[in-house]
């Protein structure tokens, strides 16, 4: 599985934390990974590890996002955009394997697929401010 596909699966799992309690997530993760029949065990391990790594940093990531936006707070953001921002910020700040420009580009590409009309430009704008 290529990184773009792995990232999409991580995004889909992260989106669920908006609607489920964290104590329920291990079961959701397990069920989700069982459904990805095309993934190798190493792919599933990567998805799971990165998902939990991002979850551990959500509060810190949200503070960083909130400090770089005006007129918006994470509590008011579109949940798709917020999830994309969380994943990208994690990659930008804590994942040495992902260059900042790649994290931003991948988040914008996912926003084109999963967000609303304004999503890609909103995600790009916030991430550009954080990258400065």
């Amino acid at each position: 599985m290529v990184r773009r596909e792995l990232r999409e699966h991580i995004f889909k799992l992260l989106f669920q934390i908006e609607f489920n309690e964290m104590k329920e997530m291990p079961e959701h993760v397990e069920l989700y990974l069982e459904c990805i029949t095309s993934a190798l065990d190493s792919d599933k391990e990567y998805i799971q590890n990165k998902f939990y790594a991002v979850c551990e940093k959500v509060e810190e990531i949200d503070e960083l996002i909130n400090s770089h936006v005006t007129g918006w707070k994470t509590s008011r953001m579109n949940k798709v955009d917020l999830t994309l921002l969380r994943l990208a910020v994690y990659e930008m700040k804590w994942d040495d394997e992902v260059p900042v420009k790649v994290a931003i580009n991948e988040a914008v590409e996912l926003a084109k697929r999963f967000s609303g009309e304004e999503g890609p430009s909103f995600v790009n704008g916030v991430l550009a401010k954080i990258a400065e």
Side-chain angles (χ1 to χ4, degrees):
M1 205 174 265
V2 296
R3 287 279 171 125
R4 181 168 279 183
E5 291 173 284
L6 294 170
R7 187 176 283 107
E8 182 177 324
H9 288 298
I10 297 162
F11 157 73
K12 289 176 180 178
L13 280 171
L14 283 171
F15 185 73
Q16 293 184 40
I17 69 172
E18 290 300 312
F19 308 99
N20 297 290
E21 304 233 358
M22 279 308 293
K23 66 183 179 184
E24 299 170 346
M25 286 310 298
E27 184 177 352
H28 287 276
V29 171
E30 185 179 327
L31 292 171
Y32 183 87
L33 293 176
E34 285 177 11
C35 292
I36 311 173
T37 56
S38 63
L40 301 172
D41 287 343
S42 59
D43 294 333
K44 292 178 181 182
E45 184 178 347
Y46 179 87
I47 291 166
Q48 182 174 339
N49 290 342
K50 194 158 190 178
F51 166 76
Y52 284 117
V54 175
C55 287
E56 288 177 12
K57 298 280 189 186
V58 164
E59 286 184 35
E60 197 172 340
I61 292 168
D62 286 0
E63 288 174 16
L64 189 58
I65 293 168
N66 285 328
S67 71
H68 285 84
V69 294
T70 42
W72 286 96
K73 292 294 174 203
T74 53
S75 59
R76 290 186 51 225
M77 287 181 189
N78 170 313
K79 299 308 180 198
V80 169
D81 294 344
L82 175 58
T83 302
L84 292 170
L85 289 171
R86 285 174 173 163
L87 178 55
V89 169
Y90 175 83
E91 290 182 333
M92 292 165 63
K93 299 296 182 183
W94 292 282
D95 191 336
D96 296 333
E97 294 180 14
V98 181
V100 171
K101 289 183 180 185
V102 171
I104 294 171
N105 183 59
E106 290 295 324
V108 171
E109 290 302 314
L110 284 170
K112 288 176 184 176
R113 290 189 56 212
F114 294 103
S115 187
E117 190 175 310
E118 300 296 320
S121 58
F122 176 75
V123 168
N124 188 53
V126 174
L127 294 175
K129 286 182 183 179
I130 292 172
E132 290 177 347

